[in-house]
Amino acid sequence: MEKPTPPRRVTIVDVAQHAQVSTTAVSKVLRNAYGASPAMRAKVQQAIEELGYRPNASARGMRGQTYTIGVMLPDIRNPFFPEILDGLTEALRDTPYQVLLGPGGCNDAQAEARVTEAMIDRGMDAMVLVAPISSRSRLEHIARSVPTVVVGRHGHSDAYDTVSDDDLTGAALVVGHLVSLGHRRIAHIEHAETDPDRLAEMPNAIRAEGYKRAMQAHGLGDEIDIVSTTYTQEGGYAGAQQLLARSQRPTAIFAGADVVALGVLEAVAEAGVSVPGDLSVAGYDNTTVAALGPVSLTSVDQAGHHIGAETARLLLDRIRDRERPSAQVRLSPTLVTRRTTAPPPS
Amino acid sequence: MEKPTPPRRVTIVDVAQHAQVSTTAVSKVLRNAYGASPAMRAKVQQAIEELGYRPNASARGMRGQTYTIGVMLPDIRNPFFPEILDGLTEALRDTPYQVLLGPGGCNDAQAEARVTEAMIDRGMDAMVLVAPISSRSRLEHIARSVPTVVVGRHGHSDAYDTVSDDDLTGAALVVGHLVSLGHRRIAHIEHAETDPDRLAEMPNAIRAEGYKRAMQAHGLGDEIDIVSTTYTQEGGYAGAQQLLARSQRPTAIFAGADVVALGVLEAVAEAGVSVPGDLSVAGYDNTTVAALGPVSLTSVDQAGHHIGAETARLLLDRIRDRERPSAQVRLSPTLVTRRTTAPPPS
DNA sequence: AACTTTTTGGGCAACGTTACCCACAATCGA
DNA sequence: TCGATTGTGGGTAACGTTGCCCAAAAAGTT
C-alpha cells in the first residue's frame, strides 16, 4: 500500500471554484478590499471555512506582504525580554500579524547581522531590534529596507523609531535610594564599552553615566567608584572581588544589571560579607530572578510589558505610513526595593 | 527634495544580466545544481558578490523551500529551553537553514495551534515542537504537512520523530539520592494532568510516575505522598504549604521542576523551616537559576544542548528523506547535587 | 567518418496571490 | 430620456525562483 498522494494545500483557486466566483473576488474578501457585495462576502467566507483555506504567506510575500513581524532578541536567556515580548504579542493579537523571533547571538555582532539579514530575506513586514549591538549605520541600513523599531537603545535616527527606558533616571533612582539610606561609598559595576557609538547609545553606558551624575548631584563626586567588567554573572563576580579588595570597601554596590548583581551576591557570600548588613546590593531590570524569595534583590523595573505595547503601536503606525517622521518613546523606570538594600553598618 | 525611489532589491535577473548568463544558470550556481561549468560558477559568484545579491525566501517558498526551520517554544521564560536552542542553532550553523522561533502561549493549546498554523502557512521546511501540550492527533496533523520533531514529550508516532529525556530515570535519580541520604518521607509535587493522552506523554506525568515507581523500588510505597498543583512558582508555594501542614511532615520534597522548587523554597523560608537542615528540596531541569549561589538547588540535568543537537540531526535527516521511518531518541539525565539536599534531621 | 554520449547553457512554465485594469449593470441627476 | 456616476465582478500580468525540457557543442566510441 503506497502513501496516497499527499493532499495538496487548498488555494485561492479552490475557494473560487467552490464558491463559484473569481479568484479576484476571493482575494478581495480576504483583504476586505473594495468591490465585493455583502452577498459575495458571505458566499466566499463560507467556502473558505468549508475548505479550511489558509493563505500562503510565501505567495503573499511575493506581492509585498507576509503579515509577519520579526523580533531580534540578542540573548534569549535575559529574563527581561519575555516581558517585552508579552506586551508586543498581546498588542498584536487582534491584528493579522504574527510575531516570529530570531535568536541573535549573545554579544555577537556577526550573528546579529545574520539574523537580521535572514529576516529581511524572508520579507518581514517590520522588525523589532531589541537592544541591538550593531553599529548605528547598520541599524539604519536595516531600517531602509524594512520598517524598524529599535528597543532599549538610546540615540535616535530619522530612519527608525525607538522605544527605550530612561536609564539616566533609573540609575538616579538607585543612587537616591542608597543615599537616603545613609550610604556614601556607593560603587558601580558597568559593562566595559569602547566603541564611541555604543558608548553614547547603549543602556549600560547610560546607566554608568547616570550613576556618575547622580553621585555628583548628591555631592558624592569624590566617592565615584566604577569597575568595568561585563554584564554577566561572571562579570559581577569578578567586579565584586575587586571592590571587596579595596582598602576602603564600598558600603553599597549598584550593579548595572540583575545578572551582574547575582554574581556580586555570590562573591560576597564567599567572602563572608553579609547582605544587607555589611553591604547593600542593587541590580537593574527587575527580572523574575530578582523577585525570587532566596534572592530578593532591590532592582529597577523597566515596565517591559509597556515597552512591548508601545513598540507594537509604533510598528503598526509605521507599516501604515512609511514616510511618517520617526518617533521616540521614552518610558520611566521605577525602583523596587527588596531585602538586599538597608542602611550601611554604623 | 523627494525621496529617491527606494532601491529595488537585487534579483536573480540582475545577477544574470551582470554576469551575462541566463537566470537558469544563476539558479544552478545558487543551488550547486548539475550543469554549470567551473568557469560559469566563478563568473556568477563574482556577480553575486558585486551586486550583494541575496535570494528572496518568499519566491523560494513558492517553489517549495524556504530554508527556514520553525521552533515552537511554549514558554519563553523557561530557562531550560535556551539550552536546547543553542544546541540546535549550533548544529545548523553550517547549513543554509535559519531558525525562527514562534512564541506559543504558556499552557495555552489555542495559542500553540495559532503559532504552528502560522509557521505552516509560512512554508517552514521543518518544525520543532518543544514540549507541546497539543493533542496527539494535532501533532500528527502538523507532521503530515511538514517534517516535525517533537521534543520533550514521551510517546511516539509514525508521523514524527521525537527527542526526549528519560524522565522515569530522572525521577529515580532524585529519589535514590534522597534515600541514600537517609530520607524516607519523600514527597512529590506534580503538575495536575487529567487528559489521558497527556497523562501518558507529558514529562511531568512521567516524572510523577517515576517517583512512585522509585519509592516502591526502595520499599517506600507507603510513604508515597503526592501533591497536585501546577508547574509554576505559585504551584510550588501552595504545594509546600500543604506539605508543611501535614501532621507528619516530609523530610524531603522532590519538586517536578525547578520553578516549583523555587516556590517551595519561598514557602519553606516563610514557615521558618531551614533548608537543608530540616528539609531537603530537589528540583528538575537544572536551569540556570538552580545554579545561582543564593539558590544552589539540587536538580536533574537534561543535557539540553545535546537534545538540541540530536533534534537538528533528525531534522536534517527527515528533510532529506520524508519517507524514512520515524526515529526516537531518548537521552539520559544526570543528577546535580547542590546545597538544598542533605541527610534528614536525626 | 559517422555515430553515440556527455557537457554546457538557456527557454519556459509554474508556484499562489494581489494590483491594476476594464466591462457591464444599476442607479442617479437633469 | 440620455449621459454620468456608482456598484459589482472578473481577466490578466506580474512578483522571484526553480524544475523540466531541449539544443548545441564537445568529447568519446566504433
Side-chain angles (χ1 to χ4, degrees):
Chain A
M1 49 168 255
E2 276 303 301
K3 286 247 165 61
T5 30
R8 206 177 42 82
R9 204 178 144 110
V10 176
T11 74
I12 208 173
V13 180
D14 302 320
V15 175
Q17 279 178 352
H18 192 258
Q20 310 261 42
V21 297
S22 69
T23 58
T24 301
V26 178
S27 177
K28 281 176 183 167
V29 172
L30 283 174
R31 293 172 291 126
N32 284 315
Y34 177 83
S37 64
M40 174 146 109
R41 297 206 112 82
K43 204 163 48 169
V44 171
Q45 281 293 359
Q46 197 191 338
I48 287 177
E49 273 155 39
E50 281 177 17
L51 298 181
Y53 165 78
R54 309 211 82 214
N56 178 316
S58 289
R60 286 182 147 181
M62 295 221 54
R63 304 285 310 173
Q65 273 199 279
T66 57
Y67 298 96
T68 312
I69 288 172
V71 178
M72 192 280 296
L73 285 184
D75 173 18
I76 245 215
R77 260 167 260 266
N78 189 324
F80 172 53
F81 298 147
E83 295 288 329
I84 299 179
L85 210 62
D86 278 353
L88 188 68
T89 49
E90 194 174 297
L92 292 175
R93 178 157 315 153
D94 297 322
T95 72
Y97 295 99
Q98 170 70 36
V99 170
L100 288 185
L101 274 43
C106 196
N107 244 318
D108 177 351
Q110 210 179 329
E112 198 170 293
R114 263 189 33 161
V115 177
T116 50
E117 288 299 315
M119 287 183 155
I120 294 175
D121 294 344
R122 281 157 186 78
M124 299 288 169
D125 290 343
M127 306 226 336
V128 178
L129 308 178
V130 180
I133 61 168
S134 296
S135 71
R136 162 184 268 270
S137 64
R138 248 207 72 75
L139 298 184
E140 294 188 329
H141 162 79
I142 294 171
R144 239 173 283 125
S145 34
V146 52
T148 302
V149 178
V150 173
V151 174
R153 175 152 164 170
H154 296 239
H156 51 266
S157 155
D158 297 339
Y160 49 79
D161 301 316
T162 60
V163 181
S164 63
D165 216 72
D166 187 349
D167 294 280
L168 275 181
T169 301
L173 284 175
V174 173
V175 172
H177 167 62
L178 292 170
V179 168
S180 76
L181 286 174
H183 291 273
R184 293 180 56 83
R185 289 202 305 283
I186 302 167
H188 178 60
I189 300 180
E190 71 169 355
H191 179 89
E193 197 74 77
T194 53
D195 182 277
D197 233 32
R198 299 221 289 270
L199 207 48
E201 300 193 351
M202 295 299 282
N204 43 302
I206 310 283
R207 286 173 199 173
E209 178 63 26
Y211 158 78
K212 280 190 237 168
R213 290 200 202 166
M215 289 294 278
Q216 274 156 357
H218 285 100
L220 297 174
D222 294 344
E223 303 286 355
I224 289 176
D225 186 1
I226 299 184
V227 175
S228 280
T229 59
T230 58
Y231 270 16
T232 61
Q233 202 178 333
E234 295 74 36
Y237 185 87
Q241 285 188 324
Q242 281 186 49
L243 288 171
L244 292 176
R246 298 265 195 273
S247 54
Q248 276 273 60
R249 275 189 186 171
T251 62
I253 297 180
F254 164 30
D258 281 356
V259 274
V260 178
L262 292 170
V264 172
L265 290 178
E266 190 137 13
V268 161
E270 267 183 26
V273 175
S274 85
V275 172
D278 302 330
L279 181 78
S280 286
V281 177
Y284 206 112
D285 286 343
N286 192 29
T287 56
T288 39
V289 192
L292 291 182
V295 178
S296 191
L297 177 72
T298 292
S299 190
V300 177
D301 188 278
Q302 297 202 57
H305 199 273
H306 197 175
I307 291 180
E310 285 295 316
T311 302
R313 200 175 53 75
L314 290 179
L315 223 46
L316 296 175
D317 285 355
R318 181 151 301 279
I319 288 176
R320 211 169 293 126
D321 174 14
R322 288 200 55 157
E323 303 305 324
R324 72 196 283 271
S326 76
Q328 290 78 41
V329 173
R330 166 93 22 119
L331 299 173
S332 292
T334 55
L335 186 72
V336 181
T337 59
R338 296 203 182 84
R339 293 198 296 270
T340 54
T341 50
S346 42
Chain B
M1 48 165 256
E2 276 304 301
K3 285 247 165 61
T5 31
R8 204 177 44 81
R9 204 179 145 108
V10 177
T11 75
I12 208 173
V13 180
D14 302 319
V15 176
Q17 278 176 354
H18 192 259
Q20 311 261 43
V21 297
S22 70
T23 58
T24 300
V26 178
S27 177
K28 281 177 184 169
V29 172
L30 283 173
R31 294 173 290 124
N32 285 315
Y34 176 83
S37 64
M40 173 146 112
R41 298 205 113 82
K43 205 163 49 168
V44 172
Q45 282 293 358
Q46 196 190 340
I48 286 176
E49 272 154 40
E50 281 177 17
L51 297 180
Y53 165 78
R54 309 211 79 212
N56 178 316
S58 289
R60 287 183 146 182
M62 293 222 56
R63 302 286 307 176
Q65 272 200 278
T66 57
Y67 299 96
T68 313
I69 288 171
V71 178
M72 192 281 295
L73 286 183
D75 173 18
I76 249 229
R77 260 168 259 267
N78 189 324
F80 172 53
F81 298 148
E83 295 290 328
I84 299 179
L85 211 61
D86 278 354
L88 188 68
T89 50
E90 195 174 295
L92 292 175
R93 178 158 315 154
D94 297 321
T95 72
Y97 295 98
Q98 169 69 37
V99 169
L100 288 184
L101 273 43
C106 196
N107 244 317
D108 177 351
Q110 210 179 328
E112 198 170 292
R114 263 188 33 158
V115 178
T116 49
E117 288 299 315
M119 288 184 155
I120 294 175
D121 294 345
R122 281 156 186 78
M124 299 288 169
D125 290 342
M127 307 227 335
V128 178
L129 308 178
V130 180
I133 60 168
S134 296
S135 72
R136 161 183 268 270
S137 64
R138 249 207 71 74
L139 299 184
E140 295 188 329
H141 163 78
I142 294 170
R144 238 173 282 124
S145 31
V146 53
T148 301
V149 178
V150 173
V151 174
R153 176 154 162 167
H154 295 239
H156 51 268
S157 156
D158 297 339
Y160 49 78
D161 301 315
T162 60
V163 181
S164 63
D165 216 71
D166 186 350
D167 294 281
L168 276 180
T169 301
L173 283 175
V174 174
V175 172
H177 167 62
L178 292 169
V179 168
S180 75
L181 285 173
H183 292 272
R184 294 180 55 82
R185 289 203 305 284
I186 303 168
H188 178 61
I189 300 180
E190 72 168 354
H191 179 90
E193 197 75 76
T194 53
D195 182 277
D197 234 30
R198 299 222 287 271
L199 208 47
E201 301 194 352
M202 296 298 281
N204 43 301
I206 310 284
R207 286 171 199 174
E209 179 63 26
Y211 158 78
K212 280 190 237 168
R213 290 199 202 166
M215 288 293 279
Q216 274 155 359
H218 285 99
L220 298 173
D222 294 343
E223 303 285 353
I224 290 176
D225 186 1
I226 298 185
V227 176
S228 280
T229 61
T230 59
Y231 269 15
T232 61
Q233 201 177 333
E234 295 74 37
Y237 185 86
Q241 284 189 326
Q242 282 186 48
L243 288 171
L244 291 176
R246 297 263 196 274
S247 54
Q248 275 274 60
R249 277 188 186 173
T251 62
I253 297 179
F254 165 31
D258 281 356
V259 275
V260 177
L262 292 170
V264 171
L265 291 178
E266 189 137 13
V268 161
E270 267 183 27
V273 175
S274 88
V275 171
D278 301 332
L279 182 78
S280 286
V281 177
Y284 206 111
D285 286 344
N286 192 30
T287 57
T288 40
V289 193
L292 291 182
V295 178
S296 191
L297 177 71
T298 292
S299 190
V300 177
D301 188 279
Q302 297 202 57
H305 199 273
H306 198 173
I307 291 180
E310 285 296 317
T311 302
R313 200 176 54 75
L314 290 180
L315 222 46
L316 295 175
D317 284 355
R318 181 151 301 279
I319 288 176
R320 210 169 296 127
D321 174 15
R322 288 200 57 157
E323 303 305 324
R324 72 196 280 272
S326 76
Q328 289 78 41
V329 174
R330 166 92 24 118
L331 298 172
S332 292
T334 54
L335 185 71
V336 181
T337 58
R338 296 203 183 83
R339 293 199 296 272
T340 54
T341 48
S346 43

